Amino acid sequence: MADLVFAFDAALDRPIPVPPGAPDAVAEAVARAPFEALRAAATVARQTKAAALVLFGNTLDPVRASPAQAAAVRELIIALAADGCSTIWVADEPADVANLARALSEPAGLSFVTPVSPLRFDLRGLSLELCSARGPAFATAGHLPPSFASAHTSLLPAQRRIMIGWDDAWSALHGEPVAPVGLQSPVPGSGWPAHGTFFVWGSRRLQPLAAGVHQVPALQPRGPREPAAGACAVATLTNLAGAAPPLTSIAQAAGDPRADWREVPTHHVAWKTLSITSLAGGDEELATTIWTALEGMSVDSQGPLQIVRCAVDCGGSISRRVHVSEITAETMAKVRELCDPRMLRAWCQEIEADRIESPSTLVRNASAVKAGGAASFASGVAELVLAMEQSEQSSLARESGWLALELLEST
């Protein structure tokens, strides 16, 4: 049993870019992934007998969406209502509510929450209030919106109050998360609210959050830069307190049916980096090595499609890194000749020299040559990169260092 299922950022009207050269089977799986992830969240709500499925973030833009997308969402909402599960849609503006209701033809079982209109309802004997943390007052001053009961003096305060918010770590152009400027905090600046109020926060990037804030990943990642796999969140409110326990893994949650909060995977496409080592040889040898590694991957035949980036460890050899870049097209062609996407749930999208290969080998090799040689210069770059990494938790310095050395080698 569950009370609510939270589904963040379905983004049904924002297609995932199809990998270049992908066969029809892969392209179709990528195109279906956003809605299949939403359908998976609805299935979780149905199987756990949840009282409501809460949609927030970028779910469906009625201006961008096609009639077929709107019709599919309407059918999903009606099917949930037939099973006793309502759908609660958290919208940014009251105008969005009118547009969405018109696009979806006001299906039974659909309710809305906006920054100025919280939703108050009875949930299996529990008085619950859902509020949006997207309002301008909350974003600028950290003030919670007024309670629904404050405008209806005949009502007692709700026993549980859920604040729902999300950041805008999203690039509409590329469909990838970006680091936003001035990210608003999901916790009010005036301090932690009263007992019975807690936060649900949606984001496509990892970020530090205050204790008691439940972060929800997107239902379906949009590219390899997103740090988390897609999932919905299942909550049992009758056991939740003001300070919530940390998120548990799906394996832990499955073993403990009393878990108050757990994540259930929903993604249908995943991005994976496959690391291999290739110190010599041409495209034939490299293609064989990559194909052997692909065959050795433990891929569930019923699981999500794996879009693979092959990162080639060149043992610190700059000339080998340049050579790998030169034979990438031929190697990819040979790998795809061997690949049958109908039989293997993994598709090789990219082959490149490993961007985050350790440069420490360059420092060791420099001692074998006289000062001022190419190895000495490469060693200096490597030492600079390693020094920068001690103060910055980022791979950008390492990627930049390899790029500079490869450009110098190829000229």
Side-chain angles (χ1 to χ4, degrees):
M1 288 287 290
D3 291 323
L4 296 176
V5 173
F6 294 91
F8 170 63
D9 230 23
L12 300 179
D13 50 89
R14 297 171 184 255
I16 302 175
V18 176
D24 292 343
V26 173
E28 291 173 4
V30 172
R32 293 196 311 267
F35 185 75
E36 291 299 327
L38 178 59
R39 191 197 301 274
T43 300
V44 170
R46 187 177 293 108
Q47 292 176 344
T48 58
K49 302 186 184 300
L53 172 66
V54 182
L55 306 177
F56 65 111
N58 300 289
T59 301
L60 183 76
D61 186 338
V63 177
R64 293 167 51 99
S66 68
Q69 290 171 331
V73 174
R74 170 183 167 81
E75 292 176 4
L76 186 144
I77 294 172
I78 293 175
L80 283 175
D83 289 333
C85 179
S86 61
T87 301
I88 300 174
W89 197 306
V90 185
D92 265 336
E93 301 290 342
D96 296 336
V97 173
N99 293 334
L100 285 167
R102 187 181 305 110
L104 300 176
S105 300
E106 301 183 353
L110 176 61
S111 302
F112 291 97
V113 173
T114 69
V116 296
S117 300
L119 179 65
R120 175 76 174 266
F121 63 101
D122 181 81
L123 177 64
R124 297 169 180 165
L126 180 72
S127 176
L128 180 67
E129 184 174 83
L130 265 66
C131 304
S132 171
R134 298 276 291 182
F138 182 86
T140 56
H143 297 312
L144 295 177
S147 171
F148 186 83
S150 64
H152 301 77
T153 55
S154 61
L155 296 177
L156 295 174
Q159 294 171 283
R160 288 286 188 272
R161 195 178 191 206
I162 302 177
M163 303 299 305
I164 302 174
W166 63 94
D167 61 40
D168 293 315
W170 175 276
S171 169
L173 180 60
H174 301 292
E176 297 177 346
V178 295
V181 178
L183 176 67
Q184 68 184 68
S185 170
V187 178
S190 57
W192 189 252
H195 176 78
T197 299
F198 62 95
F199 282 78
V200 175
W201 187 254
S203 181
R204 287 183 173 269
R205 72 186 188 100
L206 296 178
Q207 55 187 291
L209 296 175
V213 177
H214 299 274
Q215 182 165 336
V216 185
L219 292 175
Q220 170 61 59
R222 319 299 289 193
R225 296 185 183 180
E226 295 198 31
C232 63
V234 179
T236 304
L237 302 179
T238 52
N239 296 330
L240 281 176
L247 295 181
T248 58
S249 68
I250 183 61
Q252 293 172 326
D256 183 9
R258 299 170 300 168
D260 295 325
W261 181 275
R262 59 190 175 99
E263 292 183 8
V264 180
T266 56
H267 61 286
H268 281 245
V269 176
W271 283 262
K272 179 180 179 64
T273 297
L274 182 63
S275 298
I276 63 171
T277 300
S278 177
L279 305 181
D283 54 289
E284 290 278 0
E285 293 83 358
L286 182 56
T288 301
T289 302
I290 292 173
W291 178 247
T292 302
L294 288 172
E295 284 189 313
M297 289 176 57
S298 56
V299 179
D300 184 358
S301 60
Q302 303 300 320
L305 170 69
Q306 303 281 339
I307 299 180
V308 180
R309 179 181 73 91
C310 290
V312 183
D313 187 327
C314 299
S317 171
I318 303 172
S319 59
R320 178 59 180 170
R321 294 179 65 90
V322 173
H323 184 59
V324 167
S325 300
E326 292 173 345
I327 63 174
T328 294
E330 295 84 352
T331 303
M332 183 70 77
K334 288 180 170 57
V335 170
R336 290 181 175 176
E337 287 176 2
L338 300 170
C339 182
D340 183 356
R342 296 171 298 178
M343 303 298 295
L344 186 66
R345 295 287 294 170
W347 173 252
C348 183
Q349 177 186 7
E350 186 178 6
I351 301 171
E352 63 178 4
D354 191 357
R355 307 173 193 166
I356 58 173
E357 180 181 342
S358 175
S360 57
T361 306
L362 299 176
V363 180
R364 295 194 298 267
N365 292 344
S367 60
V369 298
K370 61 181 181 179
S376 180
F377 174 78
S379 173
V381 173
E383 291 176 346
L384 178 61
V385 168
L386 294 173
M388 294 176 64
E389 289 182 342
Q390 291 181 354
S391 59
E392 299 179 9
Q393 297 298 322
S394 173
S395 62
L396 292 178
R398 187 170 296 191
E399 294 181 31
S400 301
W402 281 122
L403 179 60
L405 293 173
E406 290 167 17
L407 289 173
L408 184 64
E409 177 73 17
S410 60
T411 56

